[in-house]
Amino acid sequence: SVLPVLAGTLLCDGESVIHNCPNISDVDTSFLILEGLGCICKKQDNTVTVDASGVNGYTIPDNLMRQMRSSVMFLGAIIGRTGKAVISSPGGCELGPRPIDLHLSALEKMGVTITEEHGLLCCEAKNGICGADIHLNFPSVGATENIILAAATAKGETDIHNAAREPEISDLADFLNSMGAKISGCGSDTIYISGVKKLYPT
């Protein structure tokens, strides 16, 4: 659960404190991603502090994308915070289905324009992220998390049908709701998100 929660800290223009954080390499990689985007990360024992008030970047370097497969979960949060994101494309420029096509098609429904240049995915929501009615082909945990992260501060309502039901989905929603998000239905196959203008540190 800690990885999507760390991604969620990007949506708050302030400091987030996460207790009982596991000591795993993916957390260290998440710190590098967050720091590259302008966050200040601190860790003492099992308590993590992320100050996202200075976010000024929107790119995840290729080496970090390859280092942690789940780094794509930062995509929805980065777009939600900055309106754009640049990440390396899994599989480079090869044709055919990619593991994140569900994520990308959902974001496109929410008003994000996605172009591919030299193996990079360039995503931009020029008119802001808008709520949408999204039906997933299968209950992907990563896609569900990315949609929640993007929809939390979007304009309007987002419904996710055939959503993943894993506990980490509920943990992410609880974290975002504690900062003022309006997310319900986690644990069922339909999740409802009412976008709010801003999330606040708790």
Side-chain angles (χ1 to χ4, degrees):
S1 297
V2 71
L3 301 180
V5 166
L6 284 171
T9 63
L10 284 168
L11 297 174
C12 173
D13 188 8
E15 188 175 271
S16 302
V17 181
I18 304 163
H19 300 285
N20 203 26
C21 178
N23 185 23
I24 57 176
S25 61
D26 280 357
V27 169
D28 296 331
T29 302
S30 295
F31 274 19
L32 293 175
I33 291 173
L34 290 168
E35 288 169 347
L37 298 169
C39 297
I40 298 173
C41 304
K42 298 177 182 177
K43 186 176 182 181
Q44 184 173 2
D45 298 324
N46 290 324
T47 298
V48 164
T49 303
V50 179
D51 185 348
S53 56
V55 168
N56 56 9
Y58 53 86
T59 300
I60 302 179
D62 180 64
N63 65 309
L64 295 180
M65 285 292 298
R66 295 182 185 279
Q67 191 170 328
M68 185 175 75
R69 179 178 174 83
S70 55
S71 57
V72 71
M73 78 176 60
F74 281 85
L75 182 59
I78 295 172
I79 298 173
R81 177 63 186 270
T82 70
K84 52 189 173 182
V86 177
I87 65 171
S88 58
S89 172
C93 297
E94 296 176 8
L95 298 176
R98 289 174 294 203
I100 64 166
D101 278 353
L102 273 182
H103 306 233
L104 301 180
S105 61
L107 290 171
E108 285 178 327
K109 288 180 181 176
M110 301 173 75
V112 178
T113 300
I114 301 170
T115 55
E116 191 164 359
E117 300 175 9
H118 310 296
L120 296 176
L121 292 175
C122 304
C123 311
E124 187 170 8
K126 292 183 179 179
N127 299 313
I129 301 175
C130 299
D133 196 43
I134 297 171
H135 296 255
L136 295 177
N137 292 336
F138 66 92
S140 161
V141 173
T144 300
E145 290 168 346
N146 251 331
I147 297 165
I148 289 174
L149 288 164
T153 54
K155 303 171 188 173
E157 312 283 329
T158 298
D159 296 346
I160 310 173
H161 303 277
N162 201 22
R165 303 185 185 189
E166 277 75 359
E168 55 262 45
I169 303 295
S170 296
D171 288 345
L172 173 61
D174 289 344
F175 174 69
L176 295 175
N177 284 339
S178 74
M179 297 192 294
K182 296 181 178 179
I183 305 165
S184 61
C186 294
S188 72
D189 63 358
T190 305
I191 296 176
Y192 307 93
I193 305 127
S194 295
V196 297
K197 288 186 177 181
K198 192 172 182 179
L199 296 181
Y200 300 89
T202 56

